[in-house]
Amino acid sequence: MNAYAPILVLGAIAAAFAVGSVVMASLTGPKRYNRAKLEAYECGIEPTPQPVGGGRFPIKYYLTAMLFIVFDIEIVFLYPWAVSFDALGIFGLVEMLLFIATVFVAYAYVWRRGGLEWD
Amino acid sequence: MNSLIPLLIAAPLAGAALLLLGGRALDRFGHWIATALAALSCAFGLVLFFDMLGRDTEHRAVTTRLFSWIPVNGFQADVSFQLDQLSIVFVLLITGVGTLIHLYSVGYMAHDERRRRFFAYLNLFLAAMLILVLADNYLLLYVGWEGVGLASYLLIGFWQHKPSAATAAKKAFIVNRVGDLGLSIAIMLMFAEFGSFAFHPVFSAAGDATEGKLTAIGLMLLLAACGKSAQVPLQSWLGDAMEGPTPVSALIHAATMVTAGVYLITRSSAIFDLAPDAQTAVVVVGAVTLLFGAIVGCAKDDIKKALAGSTMSQIGYMIMAAGLGPVGYAFAIMHLVTHGFFKAGLFLGAGSVMHGMNDEVNMRHYGGLRKYMPWTFWTFMAGYAAIIGFPFLSGFFSKDKIIEAALAKGGTEGWILGGCALLGAAVTAFYMTRVVLLTFFGEKRWQPDAEGNEPHPHESPKTMVIPMVVLTFGSLFAGGLFSLGDSFLNFLEPVTGFEEGHSPLNALTVSAIATVCMAAGVGLAWLMYGRSPVPVKPPVGSLLTRAARRDLLQDDFNHAVLVRPGSALAATLVWFDSKGLDGFVNGLAAAIGGLSGRLRRIQTGYVRTYALSMFGGTLVLVASTLLMRSV
Amino acid sequence: MIATHALAAAGGNSPSIPAPHIEYGQLSPMLVVFGAALVGILAEAFLPRRLRAATQLGISLAGLVGGFVAVVVLAAQGHASTRAGLLAMGSVAIDGPALFLQGVILLTAVLAVLTYAEGRLEPRINGHRIDAFAAQAAAVPGGEQEREATREGLRTTEIYPLTLFAVGGMLLFPASNDLLTMFVALEVLSLPLYLMCAIARRRRLLSQEAAVKYFLLGAFASAFFLFGTALLYGYAGSLRLGEIADVVSGVAPVTPALAVTTQNDALLLIGLAMVSVGLLFKVGAVPFHSWTPDVYQGAPTPVTGFMAAATKTAAFGALLRLFYVAFPGIRWDWRPVMWGVAILTMVVGSILAVTQQDVKRLLAYSSIAHAGFILTGLIATDRRGVAAVLFYLLAYSFVTLGAFAVVTLVRDSKGEATHLSSWAGLGRRSPLLAAVFALFLLAFAGIPLTSGFTGKFAVFQAAAGGGAAPLVIVGVLSSAIAAFFYIRVIVLMFFSDPQPSGPAVAVPSALTATTIAFGVLVTLGLGLLPQYFLDLATKASIFIR
């Protein structure tokens, strides 16, 4: 049990901080509403108007997000290899080239299929 | 050379498969393929025959093992073939007559739209029959036995759009099942007694078994033979089987398949020789049937049914001869072969007549056909002369030997059997003369058919005439050839054994008496049907005639003794089944159905429910795994 | 900053991180299939539209057949028996069961891909041949974009590379020798399947719903698997199945860093249960089966056939390896639990199938029941059990593929006519097809002279020999219930009057015909002459550790 005690304590502190700051803000802060404040926050861009009854997000958002993740992960994977490039030697190089080639295949597909065009 | 034996069977089997699976592409020439393959099989048979003649007597029988069929510890069933003198006789008969009848069918079935299928079945029949006679064990024999039964069923019911044909096919199949049951029980008994069902081990061990067991096996084999060979009391299907196309009647229901019973008994001679009671039963069945069939043959107006009665009767001769033991086996087979020739010829002749007469089968609607169909007439006359035992033709030799062998049985039995055989010969002459007179002589009694078409009798095409002519040679000369120096007897003796019978009358006397009987029968028939015009409407006739027209009341007997009590029993069982068992079963089914309907509601279609059930399942799984440890 | 330094320093100080040893030759079945998948994607990217379908079919067949040849060559070289071993630093095992199942999966996939390419069933649109898959998978169902794509005769040829990726994952799944590899394989096989479920041409909403359900529940199950993996790592300090087994039996030394958690049996048992959940989900065992009917019904039928056959094979392979390699030491803990799962699966699958009115749902429940039958073989925990399961999977795969291929042929104007009422009297309208389907149903029911009988006999015999006789009794009873609904369909097809406006039976091209013919052939072959394959399965029944 001892081993887990610090985690529990950390969890409790985190929860208390989160709840506490929200409560504190609502108690102490000034309340001056305007239109911009009431709108949903959407990554800093203009919120998409939503038709009545719930609409769809354009699929392009998801596509872009997915592509971002794919290449993000590629970068994440490239980092440690780059750091220990000389230690991994020729084997590491070959494997990494194969990896990049594989991701490139996906890239080629996306590019040819118009996944990189917004409209 | 032994490798030819499987090919003998494979050729028609391949033909059947090809024609059945080949589809319509083969409609135009498939029948020629079938005929060619039958001829090929026949050629293989001839090669094997001459090869066998080239060896000395001890080495003539050969066996060849194709593969192990069911190898279970202590239960060895091989697909292996035995070709000996007895088998080769059958092989030649089956493939030879079979090829001729294929050829005949090319003409006969020319206008049938399902011709390809017909030839496929014929080939299937050849293959099955060859398996039957070539098997070296009873189990494989059984395969062939069932195979010919299947082919027979398919071909009798070939014109299945006719309800009568469909019914006849079913009848043949069901009656044969009774016989098949006998064969299967015999095989089981053999396995229980000898631990094998291959010919060689069974026959060599037969001497060690008790007579009671051998008698039981023998009687069961006899039952099988009765079913397949249409012997009393399982004879009722053969007459109806004439609903099949005529080539089928000639090949299967006259020349080959129906003689399988004779083959079975002759092949099992080692068992019958040690079971005299079973042998007596065989003789009695044979003697009764030979008279039974002959009487039925006298009364029928349907040409094919008259010939069917005759077939029954002639096979009765063979069965009787086979029941006489080593005195008669060889003669049974000899009569079988000559009968194969002349009866096939007669049936083909009948088919040719029907072909020319708009498929009319009633002989009272024939008359005076000899001028219109000369080839058919003369070939039919040859077969006629042979079957009634006209001196020095095929039937004369083979039948006389059987009569002699029957007399040689000695004592009262011998006189009774010999008397039956002689009486049978007289009746045979009577009904065959009747058939010939009604069909070919006298004035025309032709009737328009159902659509009002007047018949225009004409000679049949060459493909039909040629087989009839070829068979004519067999009808005329085969018997003489076989008897020349007892060549047939000497050939078969190593398999069937032979002992000289001691007839109370010498051979010449027997022949003379038989000839007199024959002449009497012919004369009587001429008196009744030759002198005066034959009425188109059958006269009422005597009690016996009326009974014989109804196949001596066999169907009525079967109906009263077997069918009605059987139906009653079935009805009782059905009642019990539907009220008792079904109630229980249906209740159970309803319960399961109800449960299913209830459980179905769990499947709501909502992912949240599914996820919840998975989560719950996981909890249970985890908990029970932990529980297992603590228990 | 400091951490980066330390990392750089570590890299600089140890110039020789030993290169892992990869046995490319022995991994070739998977590499060939994955390679073909990549080529397929490139083809998808660069080939003009009209060439794609044929090219993709060619690439897929080449990859799958190539993979199968590789499997056969490996087996011939003795990698299934004497030269069986661990590959890729112990994370992949190549041995009898792995190669046997890889062979089965590849053959199944070959036949499934043939049904994908079937272009004769749907009516042509503007002269374009179309198949069972959506014109444009991303288009909104019923929308203008979809109509336009349909008019132009577009086809989602991506189905081929997706299948190849799934097959690659399936090949790895039963061969994976550590839990992480197994998880990766699980995901590699699942993700393409989710997508494939969503691209039916007809009834697209149902298809998409199926895909979403499958995805959500699949992710849920994968989470359990991963959580279980973590717990087992905590228990054993290793993810290798063999090393977990060593820790279970107490022969492995304890890693000092993990001294607190190692050999904590609660971790072991909970981990085992959770990992099993992930796998039992894939095989469709009760109570993790609820996705099966919905997904089988919604997915395009050729995909359903592939999924039902190949996924089950792969997942049972993984389940076998998990229980026979990692946990034979605690079989007294997991066997009773699996007993319960097997009984539930057999009974619930059979009973629920009784009231189904849709052929595809019926087959889905039947597949659940079959998962139960296969589990009885797994519970035997001996070599015979493994052999029986392997044989059963071989038999079942081909029957399933054939049955679903038949389902694609019975159609009306709205596509496949899957409601049972429209199958009434099919035997009169199309005797051959009905007879073939009847054969498959009889095989499902386990009637002698079909592969189903031999398979069922083998698993029940193994279970009885392994001391699970009550399970066999339940199995036989469930088979009786199951036989009822299979035979009900046969009765419906042959002894009911056809509906006047009933479905027509489409005449397939040689592609689907080949698949069905193979199904019939294997079904009869394994029923009539099973000995060779039983021997093969027995020879392939030893796991390497």
Side-chain angles (χ1 to χ4, degrees):
Chain A
M1 198 63 228
N2 276 345
Y4 302 112
I7 299 179
L8 280 181
V9 172
L10 185 68
I13 293 171
F17 176 72
V19 174
S21 41
V22 171
V23 171
M24 283 297 284
S26 66
L27 288 181
T28 57
K31 296 177 186 67
R32 281 186 292 274
Y33 297 108
N34 61 33
R35 220 182 126 215
K37 272 200 166 179
L38 285 173
E39 275 184 348
Y41 178 73
E42 227 173 65
C43 301
I45 55 167
E46 291 265 311
T48 320
Q50 303 254 322
V52 182
R56 293 159 187 280
F57 274 99
I59 201 156
K60 294 157 192 155
Y61 283 112
Y62 297 101
L63 208 55
T64 311
M66 293 260 289
L67 291 178
F68 170 73
I69 289 175
V70 168
F71 294 106
D72 205 28
I73 287 177
E74 184 184 7
I75 296 297
V76 167
F77 203 50
L78 283 175
Y79 245 110
W81 167 69
V83 169
S84 49
F85 169 73
D86 50 348
L88 284 166
I90 196 78
F91 176 84
L93 179 68
V94 171
E95 290 291 320
M96 198 45 76
L97 285 178
L98 283 175
F99 171 70
I100 293 171
T102 309
V103 179
F104 177 77
V105 169
Y107 170 76
Y109 174 76
V110 171
W111 161 54
R112 290 286 300 177
R113 277 311 178 82
L116 302 178
E117 295 156 28
W118 189 254
D119 285 313
Chain B
M1 193 54 76
N2 289 353
S3 56
L4 271 186
I5 299 174
L7 287 181
L8 204 61
I9 299 167
L13 199 60
L18 185 69
L19 291 189
L20 282 178
L21 302 175
R24 297 201 186 91
L26 296 174
D27 272 351
R28 270 190 314 117
F29 53 90
H31 49 288
W32 287 114
I33 298 178
T35 312
L37 285 170
L40 182 67
S41 188
C42 184
F44 288 152
L46 283 171
V47 170
L48 286 166
F49 175 61
F50 287 113
D51 179 55
M52 176 184 281
L53 286 185
R55 293 192 297 264
D56 50 354
T57 316
E58 289 85 68
H59 298 105
R60 281 186 174 170
V62 289
T63 54
T64 173
R65 185 166 158 281
L66 203 55
F67 58 89
S68 183
W69 180 22
I70 311 174
V72 180
N73 194 16
F75 180 96
Q76 290 294 326
D78 290 345
V79 172
S80 70
F81 301 114
Q82 170 181 343
L83 187 74
D84 60 5
Q85 288 89 333
L86 182 59
S87 304
I88 195 78
V89 168
F90 271 88
V91 166
L92 291 179
L93 178 72
I94 295 160
T95 57
V97 176
T99 307
L100 289 176
I101 285 174
H102 271 75
L103 189 62
Y104 178 90
S105 308
V106 170
Y108 193 83
M109 301 298 281
H111 304 299
D112 197 295
E113 57 189 23
R114 291 162 75 233
R115 178 175 60 183
R116 175 172 57 84
R117 190 176 286 267
F118 179 80
F119 277 86
Y121 293 161
L122 276 189
N123 264 358
L124 178 68
F125 167 75
L126 284 191
M129 190 72 198
L130 288 169
I131 291 175
L132 198 166
V133 298
L134 285 171
D136 95 325
N137 60 65
Y138 279 97
L139 203 64
L140 190 58
L141 183 146
Y142 190 76
V143 172
W145 191 269
E146 291 297 312
V148 293
L150 171 69
S152 160
Y153 167 78
L154 291 171
L155 285 167
I156 294 172
F158 185 72
W159 287 319
Q160 57 203 221
H161 53 86
K162 288 199 297 186
S164 57
T167 316
K170 272 196 280 186
K171 184 173 179 184
F173 200 75
I174 291 167
V175 175
N176 265 298
R177 296 248 62 72
V178 180
D180 298 349
L181 189 71
L183 184 54
S184 54
I185 293 176
I187 293 174
M188 292 176 213
L189 286 174
M190 275 177 217
F191 188 72
E193 182 64 24
F194 307 113
S196 170
F197 31 64
F199 292 153
H200 183 69
V202 169
F203 296 156
S204 50
D208 306 334
T210 62
E211 199 186 312
K213 286 194 175 132
L214 289 174
T215 306
I217 296 176
L219 287 178
M220 285 298 124
L221 289 174
L222 174 63
L223 183 64
C226 282
K228 197 59 84 192
S229 295
Q231 300 295 294
V232 176
L234 297 178
Q235 80 290 20
S236 61
W237 62 273
L238 187 61
D240 295 293
M242 296 302 128
E243 288 290 344
T246 308
V248 171
S249 310
L251 176 61
I252 300 186
H253 304 118
T256 55
M257 185 195 84
V258 286
T259 59
V262 183
Y263 172 78
L264 185 69
I265 292 176
T266 310
R267 177 57 83 194
S268 314
S269 56
I271 291 171
F272 281 99
D273 288 346
L274 295 172
D277 292 342
Q279 264 186 330
T280 310
V282 174
V283 171
V284 170
V285 164
V288 169
T289 311
L290 88 85
L291 288 177
F292 188 102
I295 293 170
V296 170
C298 293
K300 291 288 183 185
D301 288 332
D302 180 327
I303 186 170
K304 284 178 73 183
K305 290 199 172 167
L307 290 177
S310 158
T311 304
M312 217 185 273
S313 162
Q314 298 299 315
I315 296 171
Y317 274 106
M318 301 169 207
I319 294 274
M320 186 177 84
L324 292 170
V327 186
Y329 290 131
F331 300 129
I333 301 298
M334 182 165 148
H335 192 55
L336 190 157
V337 175
T338 57
H339 173 255
F341 288 128
F342 57 66
K343 186 52 69 63
L346 287 171
F347 264 109
L348 295 190
S352 175
V353 168
M354 286 161 57
H355 199 68
M357 293 291 286
N358 295 347
D359 290 327
E360 176 67 72
V361 289
N362 189 342
M363 290 188 284
R364 288 184 189 274
H365 297 169
Y366 292 164
L369 288 173
R370 68 180 183 282
K371 285 183 224 124
Y372 299 91
M373 318 173 99
W375 284 99
T376 306
F377 171 63
W378 285 111
T379 52
F380 200 90
M381 284 311 282
Y384 160 73
I387 192 174
I388 65 172
F390 195 82
F392 310 115
L393 300 185
S394 285
F396 171 77
F397 290 104
S398 51
K399 203 184 283 180
D400 273 13
K401 298 284 189 201
I402 293 179
I403 298 172
E404 269 179 56
L407 287 169
K409 180 88 173 162
T412 328
E413 289 169 58
W415 286 111
I416 294 175
L417 294 176
C420 284
L422 284 169
L423 183 61
V427 183
T428 306
F430 174 80
Y431 67 72
M432 282 313 299
T433 311
R434 176 173 172 268
V435 167
V436 167
L437 289 176
L438 286 180
T439 306
F440 292 105
F441 292 90
E443 75 283 21
K444 304 172 190 173
R445 299 179 300 277
W446 307 345
Q447 309 285 323
D449 66 7
E451 283 118 44
N453 300 323
E454 288 292 335
H456 299 285
H458 54 85
E459 191 52 86
S460 297
K462 275 206 195 66
T463 47
M464 289 168 67
V465 172
I466 291 168
M468 299 195 309
V469 173
V470 175
L471 286 171
T472 301
F473 284 100
S475 312
L476 296 177
F477 308 119
L481 209 63
F482 291 163
S483 298
L484 215 61
D486 286 336
S487 56
F488 194 76
L489 188 62
N490 294 336
F491 179 69
L492 271 185
E493 199 200 329
V495 182
T496 60
F498 180 66
E499 60 186 51
E500 190 70 49
H502 298 288
S503 167
L505 305 171
N506 67 27
L508 209 61
T509 321
V510 172
S511 297
I513 297 174
T515 310
V516 169
C517 286
M518 182 267 284
V522 173
L524 186 64
W526 187 76
L527 284 179
M528 287 176 67
Y529 300 98
R531 273 192 321 172
S532 49
V534 180
V536 175
K537 280 248 179 323
V540 180
S542 68
L543 208 60
L544 181 65
T545 313
R546 274 181 284 160
R549 278 187 196 137
R550 302 192 60 173
D551 298 319
L552 289 178
L553 303 179
Q554 55 182 353
D555 283 337
D556 306 76
F557 177 83
N558 285 349
H559 195 77
V561 176
L562 299 172
V563 176
R564 227 177 278 147
S567 310
L569 182 66
T572 321
L573 286 177
V574 165
W575 180 84
F576 177 70
D577 190 56
S578 58
K579 298 286 167 189
L581 293 178
D582 277 10
F584 174 69
V585 172
N586 289 341
L588 197 64
I592 288 175
L595 189 60
S596 178
R598 245 155 245 258
L599 273 178
R600 241 179 109 175
R601 295 196 200 136
I602 302 173
Q603 197 75 18
T604 55
Y606 291 118
V607 181
R608 51 172 188 263
T609 325
Y610 297 173
L612 192 67
S613 75
M614 276 178 64
F615 186 68
T618 311
L619 284 186
V620 173
L621 208 66
V622 169
S624 50
T625 314
L626 287 173
L627 215 64
M628 282 310 135
R629 175 53 64 92
S630 57
V631 168
Chain C
M1 200 61 208
I2 297 166
T4 319
H5 250 313
L7 203 64
N13 289 345
S14 56
S16 57
I17 295 178
H21 188 244
I22 309 286
E23 292 81 352
Y24 294 100
Q26 279 115 295
L27 292 171
S28 56
M30 290 163 247
L31 296 179
V32 168
V33 171
F34 279 127
L38 292 177
V39 175
I41 291 184
L42 286 177
E44 200 59 34
F46 293 106
L47 278 185
R49 198 159 259 154
R50 65 199 153 74
L51 294 180
R52 276 185 211 153
T55 317
Q56 289 290 16
L57 178 65
I59 293 169
S60 304
L61 288 180
L64 294 169
V65 171
F68 184 70
V69 169
V71 166
V72 171
V73 168
L74 287 176
Q77 288 172 348
H79 287 287
S81 47
T82 47
R83 293 170 65 191
L86 300 181
L87 318 173
M89 310 305 288
S91 56
V92 177
I94 187 135
D95 52 14
L99 281 176
F100 186 95
L101 293 175
Q102 288 182 340
V104 173
I105 292 166
L106 285 164
L107 280 183
T108 320
V110 168
L111 295 184
V113 162
L114 291 180
T115 61
Y116 289 1
E118 178 63 59
R120 288 261 180 92
L121 302 180
E122 295 276 354
R124 282 170 182 245
I125 295 178
N126 297 338
H128 298 291
R129 276 253 161 90
I130 54 173
D131 51 23
F133 306 105
Q136 197 168 24
V140 176
E144 178 54 37
Q145 204 186 357
E146 184 186 62
R147 269 195 292 281
E148 192 182 331
T150 310
R151 258 201 308 283
E152 283 175 25
L154 301 191
R155 295 162 74 170
T156 309
T157 40
E158 280 90 344
I159 193 82
Y160 296 97
L162 284 174
T163 304
L164 288 176
F165 278 121
V167 169
M170 289 171 185
L171 296 183
L172 181 58
F173 206 27
S176 43
N177 193 48
D178 74 39
L179 288 170
L180 213 53
T181 311
M182 200 176 265
F183 178 74
V184 170
L186 174 67
E187 290 305 304
V188 170
L189 83 88
S190 300
L191 290 170
L193 281 181
Y194 302 145
L195 284 177
M196 286 154 67
C197 288
I199 46 181
R201 180 175 286 268
R202 310 271 193 158
R203 285 185 274 201
R204 289 201 53 206
L205 283 176
L206 196 68
S207 165
Q208 296 190 344
E209 184 188 329
V212 170
K213 280 180 183 167
Y214 193 19
F215 171 66
L216 288 176
L217 296 173
F220 196 40
S222 297
F224 278 118
F225 184 94
L226 207 53
F227 199 2
T229 304
L231 292 175
L232 286 174
Y233 183 79
Y235 168 78
S238 169
L239 290 169
R240 294 278 140 77
L241 300 183
E243 289 170 21
I244 293 175
D246 288 342
V247 176
V248 167
S249 52
V251 296
V254 175
T255 319
L258 292 164
V260 182
T261 54
T262 306
Q263 294 174 333
N264 177 343
D265 277 355
L267 287 182
L268 169 66
L269 295 176
I270 299 172
L272 165 63
M274 287 189 151
V275 168
S276 317
V277 167
L279 297 177
L280 288 173
F281 172 84
K282 275 286 157 207
V283 304
V286 179
F288 314 104
H289 68 287
S290 37
W291 60 278
T292 316
D294 293 11
V295 173
Y296 277 24
Q297 186 185 19
T301 309
V303 170
T304 313
F306 168 67
M307 205 162 61
T311 313
K312 193 154 282 195
T313 307
F316 264 110
L319 209 54
L320 275 176
R321 189 172 294 282
L322 187 73
F323 281 124
Y324 282 64
V325 176
F327 301 118
I330 51 164
R331 72 172 79 100
W332 304 114
D333 293 304
W334 60 260
R335 266 184 58 155
V337 180
M338 295 310 286
W339 267 56
V341 172
I343 289 176
L344 257 184
T345 308
M346 288 189 284
V347 171
V348 170
S350 303
I351 288 184
L352 272 174
V354 168
T355 42
Q356 295 308 314
Q357 295 300 324
D358 184 284
V359 177
K360 285 170 84 177
R361 284 186 87 84
L362 180 86
L363 291 177
Y365 279 108
S366 131
S367 97
I368 294 173
H370 280 281
F373 297 136
I374 303 176
L375 279 175
T376 58
L378 181 121
I379 289 169
T381 54
D382 58 9
R383 242 189 104 175
R384 272 184 308 162
V386 181
V389 170
L390 295 183
F391 183 86
Y392 201 114
L393 289 169
L394 170 68
Y396 175 79
S397 294
F398 283 89
V399 181
T400 307
L401 261 187
F404 278 106
V406 171
V407 171
T408 61
L409 300 184
V410 180
R411 313 176 71 88
D412 57 19
S413 58
K414 294 196 284 296
E416 287 158 12
T418 55
H419 198 272
L420 267 183
S421 63
S422 50
W423 284 58
L426 196 72
R428 310 232 181 116
R429 210 166 292 166
S430 179
L432 180 67
L433 191 82
V436 167
F437 197 61
L439 172 73
F440 291 141
L441 290 175
L442 291 176
F444 278 135
I447 305 294
L449 301 186
T450 61
S451 59
F453 172 76
T454 324
K456 238 178 219 174
F457 186 77
V459 290
F460 286 166
Q461 195 187 28
L471 205 57
V472 174
I473 295 172
V474 174
V476 171
L477 289 179
S478 318
S479 303
I481 299 175
F484 166 73
F485 60 79
Y486 295 126
I487 289 172
R488 190 178 61 138
V489 177
I490 296 178
V491 169
L492 190 74
M493 287 195 299
F494 285 98
F495 302 106
S496 306
D497 289 321
Q499 288 182 331
S501 61
V505 171
V507 178
S509 65
L511 297 163
T512 305
T514 310
T515 304
I516 296 177
F518 252 89
V520 170
L521 209 67
V522 174
T523 306
L524 288 177
L526 295 188
L528 295 172
L529 303 163
Q531 202 54 48
Y532 173 74
F533 291 94
L534 281 173
D535 288 345
L536 196 68
T538 310
K539 261 189 264 171
S541 62
I542 298 177
F543 282 102
I544 193 79
R545 279 192 50 191

